Amino acid sequence: MNSRLAAFHRILLSAALCAFAVTAAHAQAVAAAGVLSSQTPHPNIKVPFTQITTTQTPTQTVAVPYTLRLPNIISNNAVLQRGRPIHIWGWSSPNENITVQFNNQNEQTTANSQGQWELWLAPEPAGGPYTLTVTGSNNEPPLTVSNILVGDVWFASGQSNMQIPLNGFPGSAVIKNAAQEIANSNYPDIRLLNLADTASSTPLDNITATWTTCDPTTTPNFSAVAYFFARDLEAHLHIPIGIIDSSWGGTPISSWMSNTLLTSHPGFQPVYDKWKAFEAKQPQVTILGEQQQPEEAARKHVWHPDPKSWHPSWLWNGMVAPMTPYTIRGFIWYQGETDATDDWNPNLYRRLFPAMIQDWRDQWHEGNLPFLYVQISSFSAPNQHWGVIRNAQRTTLALRDTGMAVSLDIGEKNNIHPPDKQTVAQRLALTAYHVSYGQQIEDEGPLFQQVIRQGEQLRVYFTHTAQGLVSKGGPLKGFEIQDNDGNWHYVNAVIQGNTVVVDTTSIPNTPAVRYAWANYSTANLYNGVSLPASTFEATVP
């Protein structure tokens, strides 16, 4: 265990002792499909006490009597990850003998002195439905979990464009063809896990939600992007798909990052500086609200009306940490709009985002899990910096096993929640087929590769130019060059083969070029399979 992680565990241990809880040690290596030592549990499994606070600041840990139990994520209707060792864990009386039976597998383990137990089942192919039975040695009734499928499990997270459900946000945002989509959403081989908005000051070990089937009674309040993504995968792969929705609208990326990570790098200190500034504004906002001046309160409350959802790490604690022991296939992510404001640190996103991705992978202990994300769209947002965020998301593709769905052309000038989530999900699914499933398909639009100077022109080279570059709807738009005072100017550009030639006659020695940088952009460069080009900014050598 490295020194940072050890230090963090010491902090957690101190906090947990105040609530009669003990943080577990790091899990040791396990034999394939074998039983994990009862004395070395997964690092994110805690002692048999549960603390759940939905949209409330946690104030205490509630002791749960020693009884045989499973985490809520292992519930009826669950999907377990195919093709990988299956992690099963729970709580019981100290030193109790535990037997788990699942699809002709029978594994045993013994709880440790704090009542924690866990084991690993051998990998299973896609299939089901199955029943999982957990039996203890203290004559309690066995636990039976029914209607379980084995397939691929994806974890969906982010802010409101991920959270917006099929029935929309009433009175403010809708999903395209919502009524028809809901009516046709009966998919027995898709299962949904919809987490409640949960902010916590410390990492939790459980959630309140359980798995449900996918049908018109459950989909209206489930993430539209996550549902459409799961539907696309199920139709193409013909296996069960489990999709977990862990999203909260209007939240910054730092809320989704672990305290371990945020405190490990001095360059992340602005996260806490901004939080302190935000926190200081709250008394004035509260007074305005009490005086029934909601518009003035909203103007001064420049971030989000629920302070808990903005607290660094609190959504990681409440909505990510409890999920990390569960074996998954990968992540999908749609977030960044909140971080585009001057009240935050748009330029810091370029470091925060890849750091978060790597930390999530480390916390799941499954190697470089595929991390697929939506580049934020196009929206008229004065005094914000959507181009900065989009470019930061583009550069994050340098991390291995990542994929990006460009949504620039789906945005609407005056609607931060564009209704066409079907296309967003379809593009995410394309990245999944390539990055996670190894299919040799074009999954990205044109991506900046290099720029060179040629007299009074720049030639911009791109990757992902499948079937050639095209401009949709008319002449090519969206290219800018910079003058020596740092100002930007739109200029003409034309497609030549798989490159774009940018006219620099007006500024012959321009130091930089960029594309689709405006918050709301009508840039129109695509490749031949109708995938749009990403925002970029580049220095000219």
Side-chain angles (χ1 to χ4, degrees):
M1 183 182 298
N2 62 42
S3 60
R4 288 173 180 168
L5 191 57
F8 180 58
H9 280 183
R10 288 195 296 271
I11 293 170
L12 285 182
L13 178 60
S14 177
L17 286 173
C18 295
F20 310 104
V22 180
T23 301
H26 190 284
Q28 303 296 318
V30 299
V35 178
L36 191 67
S37 166
S38 62
Q39 302 305 313
T40 56
H42 186 286
N44 295 326
I45 299 175
K46 300 180 178 63
V47 298
F49 294 89
T50 299
Q51 176 188 349
I52 293 290
T53 306
T54 303
T55 69
Q56 297 292 327
T57 303
T59 56
Q60 63 179 2
T61 297
V62 180
V64 175
Y66 285 121
T67 58
L68 182 63
R69 62 191 181 92
L70 288 163
N72 284 345
I73 195 172
I74 304 177
S75 71
N76 294 341
N77 306 310
V79 176
L80 300 178
Q81 179 58 47
R82 65 170 175 148
R84 297 177 186 174
I86 299 172
H87 191 207
I88 306 296
W89 75 97
W91 301 269
S92 67
S93 297
N95 307 312
E96 185 172 0
N97 296 322
I98 305 296
T99 300
V100 174
Q101 296 172 303
F102 180 76
N103 191 29
N104 298 320
Q105 294 195 54
N106 189 311
E107 296 289 352
Q108 297 180 338
T109 189
T110 301
N112 64 18
S113 60
Q114 294 150 357
Q116 303 162 292
W117 60 264
E118 65 177 343
L119 54 77
W120 296 83
L121 300 174
E124 293 272 358
Y130 302 117
T131 297
L132 182 143
T133 303
V134 181
T135 305
S137 58
N138 287 351
N139 298 318
E140 294 180 78
L143 303 178
T144 301
V145 184
S146 303
N147 199 28
I148 294 176
L149 300 178
V150 177
D152 282 352
V153 181
W154 288 85
F155 185 84
S157 189
Q159 58 180 104
S160 58
N161 271 304
M162 179 64 82
Q163 185 181 34
I164 184 171
L166 279 173
N167 66 358
F169 294 139
S172 64
V174 299
I175 298 298
K176 186 177 75 173
N177 300 328
Q180 180 181 353
E181 295 286 13
I182 292 171
N184 295 332
S185 63
N186 190 12
Y187 290 93
D189 282 347
I190 297 176
R191 303 295 172 81
L192 313 176
L193 181 61
N194 194 0
L195 271 61
D197 291 347
T198 306
S200 173
S201 60
T202 57
L204 304 184
D205 64 357
N206 209 345
I207 58 174
T208 57
T210 56
W211 288 92
T212 68
T213 55
C214 178
D215 58 56
T217 68
T218 58
T219 56
N221 295 314
F222 195 81
S223 162
V225 169
Y227 163 74
F228 291 136
F229 175 80
R231 185 180 68 179
D232 201 301
L233 264 57
E234 193 271 341
H236 284 81
L237 302 174
H238 307 292
I239 60 169
I241 300 294
I243 189 76
I244 301 167
D245 176 14
S246 176
S247 54
W248 191 334
T251 52
I253 192 171
S254 57
S255 297
W256 299 98
M257 300 172 70
S258 70
N259 186 64
T260 310
L261 175 61
L262 287 175
T263 57
S264 69
H265 196 298
F268 295 161
Q269 179 60 38
V271 167
Y272 293 97
D273 295 340
K274 289 295 184 178
W275 166 251
K276 290 297 183 183
F278 166 70
E279 197 173 32
K281 295 179 180 179
Q282 299 317 295
Q284 185 179 11
V285 174
T286 301
I287 292 171
L288 288 168
E290 291 172 350
Q291 294 175 346
Q292 296 185 342
Q293 300 181 47
E295 292 183 3
E296 181 65 11
R299 186 182 69 81
K300 290 184 178 293
H301 201 311
V302 293
W303 288 353
H304 190 274
D306 191 334
K308 293 179 294 298
S309 71
W310 280 78
H311 199 294
S313 299
W314 279 26
L315 301 191
W316 157 265
N317 291 337
M319 301 178 70
V320 183
M323 318 302 291
T324 57
Y326 200 73
T327 309
I328 64 173
R329 180 84 188 203
F331 309 97
I332 59 173
W333 173 261
Y334 194 165
Q335 188 274 341
E337 298 91 342
T338 293
D339 291 87
T341 68
D342 280 329
D343 300 298
W344 196 238
N345 291 286
N347 290 310
L348 190 59
Y349 200 88
R350 189 166 185 162
R351 286 185 288 158
L352 293 174
F353 188 34
M356 187 201 78
I357 292 172
Q358 191 56 55
D359 187 50
W360 281 25
R361 289 169 167 174
D362 292 345
Q363 298 278 359
W364 253 268
H365 300 275
E366 292 187 61
N368 289 311
L369 286 170
F371 197 103
L372 317 174
Y373 54 93
V374 182
Q375 186 185 61
I376 63 171
S377 195
S378 184
F379 173 65
S380 180
N383 303 316
Q384 296 188 20
H385 307 278
W386 285 46
V388 173
I389 301 300
R390 290 196 296 261
N391 196 44
Q393 292 170 328
R394 177 189 65 86
T395 61
T396 300
L397 289 171
L399 283 181
R400 61 173 297 178
D401 299 318
T402 55
M404 181 177 73
V406 175
S407 67
L408 193 69
D409 57 333
I410 297 169
E412 295 187 354
K413 186 174 183 178
N414 298 309
N415 183 3
I416 199 171
H417 302 115
D420 183 6
K421 294 298 188 280
Q422 291 89 336
T423 301
V424 170
Q426 181 185 39
R427 291 174 182 173
L428 274 176
L430 284 177
T431 68
Y433 299 139
H434 178 68
V435 174
S436 184
Y437 298 102
Q439 298 181 16
Q440 298 305 306
I441 60 172
E442 184 56 271
D443 66 323
E444 296 277 1
L447 292 173
F448 170 81
Q449 182 181 38
Q450 183 181 8
V451 58
I452 62 174
R453 198 184 301 272
Q454 293 183 332
E456 293 186 344
Q457 297 176 334
L458 302 178
R459 187 174 296 273
V460 183
Y461 291 80
F462 295 86
T463 58
H464 297 276
T465 58
Q467 300 180 28
L469 297 177
V470 297
S471 61
K472 284 195 173 184
L476 191 58
K477 297 182 290 185
F479 281 87
E480 298 174 84
I481 58 175
Q482 190 181 45
D483 63 28
N484 291 325
D485 294 323
N487 301 310
W488 290 90
H489 308 269
Y490 284 101
V491 292
N492 293 327
V494 295
I495 295 169
Q496 288 187 2
N498 289 331
T499 68
V500 170
V501 174
V502 180
D503 182 6
T504 62
T505 305
S506 58
I507 311 173
N509 296 316
T510 178
V513 60
R514 68 187 187 185
Y515 169 77
W517 199 263
N519 296 328
Y520 178 72
S521 174
T522 57
N524 61 344
L525 180 64
Y526 289 74
N527 61 21
V529 293
S530 295
L531 294 175
S534 168
T535 293
F536 75 85
E537 179 179 275
T539 300
V540 180

